[in-house]
């Protein structure tokens, strides 16, 4: 059974930085290395929003316009972990952040196509 667990969320002042981690378990390193990974977020009362995604090779990366230039996604296949480095944080970045995995292809921003989801980690940015 594949599980994704996010960590690294917390309270930070505007302009600060956080690094989120998402570690996968219940699968081999070789299997994880073939998964596309995505990050999404959801603020209270709002729809789920795409943040960033990376395909299996790391050669295809996409970011939402709202985070481009501030957030960086990366992955470590040996550790079966994907990261989201968040810099220059703004109050509007406040949300629960989720990581997701796609077994079959690169889904990008299409959250309905992802196969596995983590439980989420809260990020709160104060003004």
């Amino acid at each position: 059974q594949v599980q994704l667990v996010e960590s690294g969320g917390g309270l930070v002042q505007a302009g600060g930085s956080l690094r989120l981690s998402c570690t996968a378990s219940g699968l081999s390193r070789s299997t994880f290395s073939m998964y596309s990974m995505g990050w999404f977020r959801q603020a209270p009362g709002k729809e789920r929003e795409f943040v960033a995604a990376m395909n299996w090779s790391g050669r295809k990366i996409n970011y939402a316009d709202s985070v481009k230039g501030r957030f960086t996604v990366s992955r470590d296949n040996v550790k079966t972990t994907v990261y989201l480095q968040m810099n220059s944080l703004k109050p509007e970045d406040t949300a629960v952040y989720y990581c997701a995995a796609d077994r079959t292809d690169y889904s990008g921003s299409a959250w309905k196509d992802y196969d596995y989801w983590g439980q989420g980690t809260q990020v709160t940015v104060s003004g």
Side-chain angles (χ1 to χ4, degrees):
Q1 184 178 9
V2 176
Q3 288 187 309
L4 305 177
V5 179
E6 301 97 334
S7 62
L11 176 64
V12 65
Q13 293 182 344
S17 299
L18 285 173
R19 188 178 74 160
L20 305 184
S21 299
C22 172
T23 299
S25 61
L27 78 177
S28 67
R29 292 174 179 175
S30 59
T31 298
F32 177 82
S33 70
M34 297 302 296
Y35 285 6
S36 296
M37 301 296 297
W39 285 98
F40 297 81
R41 65 188 183 187
Q42 189 166 19
K46 295 185 178 180
E47 297 293 324
R48 191 179 312 181
E49 179 186 18
F50 169 74
V51 177
M54 172 182 287
N55 77 336
W56 67 271
S57 68
R59 292 191 175 98
K60 180 177 288 185
I61 301 173
N62 293 99
Y63 296 98
D65 289 340
S66 60
V67 307
K68 193 173 298 181
R70 300 188 297 120
F71 291 10
T72 303
V73 65
S74 61
R75 66 191 297 164
D76 186 335
N77 290 336
V78 174
K79 297 180 178 179
T80 65
T81 298
V82 62
Y83 304 96
L84 185 68
Q85 178 67 47
M86 306 186 296
N87 299 326
S88 301
L89 283 163
K90 305 174 181 179
E92 48 264 46
D93 294 318
T94 295
V96 177
Y97 283 70
Y98 300 90
C99 71
D102 187 339
R103 295 175 297 175
T104 58
D105 54 24
Y106 184 61
S107 295
S109 62
W111 63 269
K112 293 182 178 179
D113 294 336
Y114 285 82
D115 300 297
Y116 305 109
W117 291 85
Q119 84 289 347
T121 185
Q122 177 71 47
V123 172
T124 303
V125 184
S126 64

